[in-house]
Amino acid sequence: MKVVYSTSCLVHNPEYETLSGKRVPYLESPQRYEVIREALSDSEDSFGFVEASEDMEVGEHLLSVHSPEYVEYVKNAYDAWVEDGGDEAGVVPDTFPHPKLINFKNGDIDVTKLKPIAKAGLYCFDLSTPITADTYKAAIAAVQVTLTACSILTTESKASSSEGPVGVFALTRPPGHHAATSLSGGYCYFNNVAIAARFLQSQAQSPSSVNAESKPKIAILDIDYHHGNGTQDIFYADPSVYYVSLHAVPDYPYYTGTASETGIGPGKGYTLNLPLPTYTTGDEEYLAALRHAVHKINEFGAEYVVVSLGVDTYQHDPICKFGLTTAGYRRVGGAIARAGAGVGTVFVMEGGYFIADLGANVRAVLEGYQTAG
Ligand code: OKP
Ligand code: ZN
């Protein structure tokens, strides 16, 4: 399996975040990236490394998901913030445009006139997603990694004579699944999997997997511990992208991910949330839900499957409350290989915070996928 990476994913390195009112060292660290890379290079025969090009143009791909003003904001926010006297550690909001504020709902605000601190709250929904001097560079690198992995996937899928499932791993950071069209949050700035889905739609074209609106069908399977509220939001009204998420309830991001959220308008029925309880979800409970998710994806009939790969479902994860094991992750990979016989899968890295076993857990998922009969 090809592993796509970029050394620029390492440059984003905030010092701290605020969790439950406490200032703590930033959990989504560059070290996460290093340990995954190391674990996969320990078995060079199964994984081949490809470095994404820094020269790759990603503008049009960003705009397939994000608003132009949001992309500009992420690009320029740090400089504007520092110029306005903000802390050089990075842009962090202190106030948010709450939906209950009537004036904001009326749209009376001229967004272009807001101070940097006000824009911070407009474009970000939590205190875990600072924009540092290097954030934009790393977030762009993550998109370059994702798109390079998707290109490899489409090429390999077309060439493949169906000896085993075709998979590619996009080793991304910062992650993406909490980012919405014009919103950062949960360590995420640009939604890598959403950009992957749009790119794969532009490449795909097997008539059997085109939906009623004649768009190629893509499934996003989100196995990160947290609900991918950004990804769900982006595709909520879109029947061509089926979003399926397994996640913990109750936990961050708190306000989304119930089973009753199934899509809206033409997208009704194309969002599937499978919330699972904290503390009592282990390998068996998780795999039962995952097999159901895979069955639903097969019914949908996607041309490609995009996996939001989080291993923060791990038993020792410092911020999560599931009990999956490393052996369980091999079975997770095997179950994903059964999503759509013959379709290709791109795995895109999301969460996972127990450094000591992070690499082994990612490797277990990918090897489980690769060796599935
Ligand atoms: C990103 B990903 C929970 C606080 C959560 C941010 C978590 C972001 C998770 N006690 N703070 O989905 O792994
Ligand atoms: Zn997560």
Side-chain angles (χ1 to χ4, degrees):
M1 185 186 293
K2 290 282 191 299
V3 175
V4 185
Y5 71 99
S6 169
T7 51
S8 290
C9 285
L10 295 164
V11 300
H12 170 66
N13 190 13
E15 289 166 46
Y16 56 81
E17 64 185 298
T18 303
L19 288 185
S20 302
K22 282 200 192 84
R23 186 184 266 208
V24 298
Y26 203 68
L27 206 58
E28 199 287 285
S29 66
Q31 199 192 356
R32 299 180 55 248
Y33 202 84
E34 304 276 26
V35 297
I36 296 168
R37 216 160 46 146
E38 272 158 32
L40 299 180
S41 33
D42 284 349
S43 59
E44 282 281 5
D45 44 330
S46 336
F47 299 102
F49 285 80
V50 176
E51 174 144 33
S53 166
E54 309 245 326
D55 301 328
M56 178 182 199
E57 265 306 323
V58 300
E60 70 173 287
H61 302 287
L62 287 171
L63 297 177
S64 73
V65 166
H66 297 287
S67 66
E69 60 273 19
Y70 175 69
V71 174
E72 278 304 297
Y73 169 74
V74 178
K75 185 175 182 180
N76 301 321
Y78 183 79
D79 289 346
W81 168 268
V82 171
E83 195 168 318
D84 196 49
D87 189 326
E88 282 181 23
V91 181
V92 182
D94 62 10
T95 307
F96 301 90
H98 199 280
K100 287 178 182 170
L101 290 168
I102 289 160
N103 198 38
F104 180 73
K105 275 211 283 198
N106 284 349
D108 291 348
I109 293 165
D110 180 353
V111 170
T112 61
K113 298 222 165 68
L114 291 175
K115 286 166 61 63
I117 181 66
K119 283 192 183 174
L122 184 65
Y123 291 117
C124 183
F125 65 80
D126 72 5
L127 304 185
S128 290
T129 320
I131 298 177
T132 70
D134 305 307
T135 297
Y136 180 74
K137 182 178 173 151
I140 291 292
V143 172
Q144 290 169 329
V145 166
T146 302
L147 290 165
T148 303
C150 289
S151 288
I152 293 172
L153 178 66
T154 58
T155 307
E156 286 189 354
S157 299
K158 280 164 194 154
S160 115
S161 47
S162 77
E163 356 105 352
V166 180
V168 181
F169 178 43
L171 180 46
T172 47
R173 123 169 239 285
H177 73 150
H178 297 301
T181 299
S182 300
L183 212 44
S184 318
Y187 311 144
C188 303
Y189 304 88
F190 297 135
N191 195 310
N192 302 312
V193 292
I195 291 167
R198 289 301 185 215
F199 176 77
L200 290 169
Q201 284 190 309
S202 76
Q203 300 293 301
Q205 227 29 291
S206 97
S208 62
S209 64
V210 167
N211 82 348
E213 298 182 332
S214 71
K215 277 191 171 172
K217 292 198 273 181
I218 307 294
I220 298 177
L221 173 60
D222 190 330
I223 62 167
D224 186 278
Y225 173 88
H226 303 96
H227 183 237
N229 53 352
T231 311
Q232 169 171 300
D233 193 72
I234 289 162
F235 298 113
Y236 209 52
D238 187 337
S240 67
V241 178
Y242 188 34
Y243 177 68
V244 182
S245 177
L246 281 72
H247 52 268
V249 167
D251 212 329
Y252 180 93
Y254 311 126
Y255 310 112
T256 58
T258 63
S260 62
E261 295 159 34
T262 58
I264 198 165
K268 193 88 196 159
Y270 297 96
T271 289
L272 176 63
N273 283 314
L274 300 171
L276 296 164
T278 50
Y279 299 108
T280 55
T281 298
D283 287 341
E284 300 310 326
E285 295 79 8
Y286 194 85
L287 280 153
L290 182 59
R291 282 187 210 104
H292 177 64
V294 166
H295 172 75
K296 297 299 282 184
I297 288 171
N298 287 337
E299 276 184 359
F300 173 69
E303 180 148 354
Y304 291 106
V305 176
V306 180
V307 176
S308 263
L309 173 56
V311 292
D312 41 6
T313 47
Y314 190 50
Q315 55 182 343
H316 302 309
D317 196 278
I319 58 167
C320 303
K321 298 169 180 71
F322 278 179
L324 271 69
T325 66
T326 305
Y329 285 121
R330 280 197 85 89
R331 297 166 66 196
V332 165
I336 293 170
R338 269 155 230 127
V343 312
T345 303
V346 59
F347 293 88
V348 182
M349 196 65 212
E350 304 279 4
Y353 307 99
F354 188 75
I355 296 287
D357 297 336
L358 175 56
N361 290 341
V362 170
R363 183 172 152 178
V365 173
L366 300 177
E367 286 181 350
Y369 177 87
Q370 203 68 354
T371 58

